[in-house]
Amino acid sequence: MPPPRRLRLDDPNASGLLCGHHPSHLSPARRWATQALRSTPCASRPLVAALAELHANALAHTASGLPGGRVRIEIERCPALFLLKVTDDGPRPGTQAPALPEVIHHPETATGGGFAAEGGYGLALVESMALYWDFVGDPGEALTVRAAFARSGHIRDHNR
């Protein structure tokens, strides 16, 4: 299996990586992101953790996780923000309704009691650390999840 490959992007403040369908590409993608951010480990930690979750979600829930599948990752370094984009290959063949990115809140885990149902943790983690996140694309097509992170590494204050 070929290793992930760097993408040539026109913007000098942007970096890109194309990964294959195998979960072994998760670790090199995290290392690449840490280098692409050109920042301190503390400042890069939230984005790198979110990238790992979004990458894993793409492999688990879309055609990106099938043989020949791909995950495209882009990072843009802006003056006050890091912008992350993770694009999948669209829904798996044969799926009835294409799944859209959704955070599943489990009230019992907010108070520390009980176990949450499986699912929703990846985007819940992204939501807890990103200043903002959304997705673009049409159901049934490739989707790109986008998230913005403070260059300082500070995460969003949920008490505001």
Side-chain angles (χ1 to χ4, degrees), residues 26-27 29-34 37 40-57 73 75 82 84 86 121-130 145 147 149 153 155:
L26 288 163
S27 183
R30 287 192 305 266
R31 283 193 304 276
W32 164 82
T34 301
L37 290 172
T40 64
C42 184
S44 63
R45 198 165 290 128
L47 183 142
V48 173
L51 177 149
E53 292 297 329
L54 294 174
H55 189 171
N57 277 356
I73 303 166
I75 295 173
F82 293 128
L84 171 66
V86 178
Y121 286 126
L123 283 174
L125 181 77
V126 173
E127 184 173 78
S128 73
M129 293 186 298
V145 177
F149 298 86
I155 59 174

Side-chain angles (χ1 to χ4, degrees), residues 86-102:
V86 178
T87 304
D88 64 40
D89 274 348
R92 290 178 180 229
T95 54
Q96 300 238 11
L100 296 176
E102 171 187 20

Side-chain angles (χ1 to χ4, degrees), residues 2 4 8 16 22 36-38 49 56 60 62 76 100 111 127 139-140 145:
R8 292 179 193 230
H22 201 271
L37 290 172
R38 302 179 191 156
T62 74
E76 184 179 348
L100 296 176
T111 60
E127 184 173 78
V145 177

Side-chain angles (χ1 to χ4, degrees), residues 3 6 8 16 20 45 48-49 66 72 74 104 107 117 119 125 130 153:
R6 292 176 192 244
R8 292 179 193 230
R45 198 165 290 128
V48 173
L66 300 176
R72 181 184 176 105
E74 294 181 42
I104 302 170
L125 181 77

